[in-house]
Amino acid sequence: MGRTYNVIPVAPADYRRRAEQRLPRFLFDYIDGGANAEITLAANTSGFRDIVLRQRVMRDVSNIDTSTVLSGEQAAMPVILAPVGMAGMMARRGETQAVRAANATGVPFTLSTVGICDLVEVKNAASKPFWFQLYMMRDREVVKDLLARAESVGCTTLAFTVDLAVTGLRHRDLRNGALSQSVRAKAVKAWEIARHPHWLLDVAVQGKPHGFGNLSDRVPDPTRLEAFTAWVASQFDTSVTWKDIEWLRSVWKGRLLIKGVLEPDDARAAVEAGADGVIVSNHGGRQLDGVASSISKLPGVVAAIGDRAEVYMDGGVRSGVDVFKAVALGAQGVLIGRPWVWALAAGGERAVTDMLAVMRQELRIAMALSGVNRIDEIGRDAIDTAAPFA
Ligand code: FNR
């Protein structure tokens, strides 16, 4: 164990370090990693670092208000917890802990199709409506059934993910033997589990059942990553086109956001197919390695559809200042993926709540020092395009 530099985790990077200590390596890497050489994963965060802000002074900033409207609902700040599959393997009944933290903060939580806790369990933990994320499955009856369940527990917004026609190749999963059933791979996994007694007790023993809640009657043995990947390959529908969005639109009466759009043309097609908005995303650098950072693609999508649909983004948001930058470039709000899962693994609901509180405080301070009081006052002029070192 190395020297402990900080006793109180503050930023996502602090929670990440703790998550790394607490989780078996194959689970930590499943969250942390990206596709192939992780070029896009790195670009997502460096894209934010490259944006330079303008400091504004002598404005009355005595009434800072971070609240906003996200997909028609009031929220404490323009942040949403992104759908993350298998979050319930990172902490006991992880999705229920996360939804409570989101509710306490006043931001939406999104339940993944492949969450460990199902829609009903999350609803029972939640005090407010949450969002549901869907992958298109070959069997449309399964899809209809999931949507009916989502509606019956009060989900108002559906994020339909379109950037996973096939699953990206994540080298870390391969290196860890996470996708293999060989004797060696099994031994490595068993050793990693034995080395992490806290996780073993909290999740492996007390956090059961470990199935994919929403699909528990369909996935063969969901606790094994390789079984999951095989199931995804066989069931996720690679033939999906915009026509299917029109079908989805006719089945789902709530709000519909298309997640995983980077190109302006695709954003226009999404709106034409009936979506209420899009989420500019490259799946956190986990799919096509080599595509641009999400934040660099945001302005193009905003220019294409921003006047008639909502535009959200995710990928690389690691602070309240990043939230500010995305809003300045036209995002209605941002989704955070790894940060909430690192916090969840590091310290459960409390840690997620604490991390969100720091993010909100950072946003508040960024607003004050940029001279704005309200979210809708954050605009392009907050960005310093003429900065000498930009
Ligand atoms: C994801 N993401 C994801 N997206 C989705 O639509 N359904 C899912 O089940 C998952 N599962 C998933 C698992 C893990 C471990 C990660 C890290 C991500 C993508 C996620 O919603 C989001 O787009 C990215 O995580 C955003 O990037 P950051 O915030 O992690 O940099």
Side-chain angles (χ1 to χ4, degrees):
M1 196 76 93
R3 240 175 86 198
T4 306
Y5 291 95
N6 51 329
V7 284
I8 302 170
V10 177
D14 302 324
Y15 293 103
R16 176 180 179 273
R17 263 192 300 275
R18 291 199 170 199
E20 190 170 14
Q21 288 165 359
R22 283 210 168 180
L23 293 173
R25 189 79 214 172
F26 62 91
L27 283 182
F28 174 75
D29 276 343
Y30 167 70
I31 305 168
D32 204 59
N36 303 55
E38 303 189 341
I39 294 167
T40 298
L41 174 67
N44 276 349
T45 43
S46 66
F48 275 103
R49 272 199 294 273
D50 292 345
I51 296 168
V52 182
L53 296 175
R54 300 205 307 163
Q55 170 176 289
R56 301 311 306 263
V57 298
M58 303 300 283
R59 297 180 170 204
D60 177 357
V61 286
S62 51
N63 280 306
I64 302 286
D65 180 1
T66 62
S67 70
T68 190
V69 174
L70 300 174
S71 193
E73 309 271 339
Q74 200 64 34
M77 62 173 159
V79 171
I80 300 128
L81 302 198
V84 168
M86 300 214 288
M89 295 307 289
M90 311 306 158
R92 189 189 317 176
R93 312 314 293 161
E95 291 88 358
T96 64
Q97 297 201 54
V99 79
R100 281 196 215 102
N103 289 168
T105 308
V107 296
F109 169 81
T110 315
L111 178 65
S112 163
T113 305
V114 287
I116 298 295
C117 301
D118 71 6
L119 282 152
V120 172
E121 185 174 354
V122 173
K123 187 217 162 24
N124 289 341
S127 54
K128 296 179 185 143
F130 57 97
W131 296 10
F132 184 58
Q133 175 268 327
L134 181 75
Y135 286 119
M136 187 64 87
M137 270 150 290
R138 288 186 207 279
D139 187 344
R140 295 291 192 273
E141 288 309 309
V142 177
V143 174
K144 270 197 196 164
D145 177 51
L146 277 175
L147 292 178
R149 279 194 261 163
E151 196 186 333
S152 75
V153 300
C155 291
T156 46
T157 296
L158 180 73
F160 181 71
T161 303
V162 293
D163 58 6
L164 205 124
V166 296
T167 310
L169 198 65
R170 296 148 198 173
H171 288 187
R172 293 201 216 182
D173 291 346
L174 292 173
R175 289 192 192 105
N176 291 324
L179 305 177
S180 163
Q181 273 292 82
S182 72
V183 174
R184 183 154 172 257
K186 277 187 183 160
V188 170
K189 278 184 267 184
W191 168 243
E192 277 300 307
I193 289 171
R195 251 171 30 85
H196 294 90
H198 176 275
W199 180 86
L200 178 62
L201 186 68
D202 183 44
V203 183
V205 177
Q206 296 177 329
K208 285 182 177 158
H210 293 145
F212 289 117
N214 298 310
L215 301 162
S216 52
D217 46 342
R218 306 189 189 261
V219 187
D221 181 356
T223 57
R224 298 187 349 233
L225 206 51
E226 83 287 352
F228 167 50
T229 311
W231 181 82
V232 167
S234 69
Q235 287 302 318
F236 283 24
D237 191 345
T238 48
S239 72
V240 177
T241 68
W242 295 116
K243 278 255 163 282
D244 297 280
I245 306 291
E246 286 168 20
W247 172 81
L248 191 65
R249 186 66 284 186
S250 69
V251 180
W252 174 255
K253 303 292 172 223
R255 286 189 175 246
L256 177 64
L257 304 177
I258 304 299
K259 177 172 182 285
V261 167
L262 289 178
E263 295 301 325
D265 276 356
D266 288 336
R268 278 188 211 103
V271 176
E272 275 151 30
D276 298 296
V278 303
I279 302 170
V280 177
S281 172
N282 51 36
H283 216 97
R286 298 164 75 80
Q287 287 297 100
L288 181 57
D289 196 28
V291 289
S293 67
S294 305
I295 191 67
S296 70
K297 300 299 275 189
L298 174 67
V301 173
V302 170
I305 62 161
D307 56 341
R308 55 209 156 109
E310 292 194 330
V311 181
Y312 297 85
M313 69 79 57
D314 72 20
V317 175
R318 298 291 178 265
S319 70
V321 177
D322 290 345
V323 177
F324 179 90
K325 288 175 176 175
V327 173
L329 289 171
Q332 181 77 20
V334 304
L335 289 78
I336 53 168
R338 294 179 184 83
W340 76 258
V341 190
W342 288 327
L344 180 72
E349 174 183 345
R350 178 64 201 267
V352 180
T353 311
D354 289 350
M355 190 202 66
L356 288 169
V358 169
M359 237 178 218
R360 189 171 179 200
Q361 183 64 357
E362 288 171 339
L363 173 60
R364 217 179 262 128
I365 293 168
M367 289 169 72
L369 299 179
S370 307
V372 297
N373 283 295
R374 294 197 324 268
I375 295 294
D376 62 9
E377 290 169 3
I378 305 173
R380 273 293 182 103
D381 58 344
I383 310 264
D384 190 349
T385 46
F389 301 109

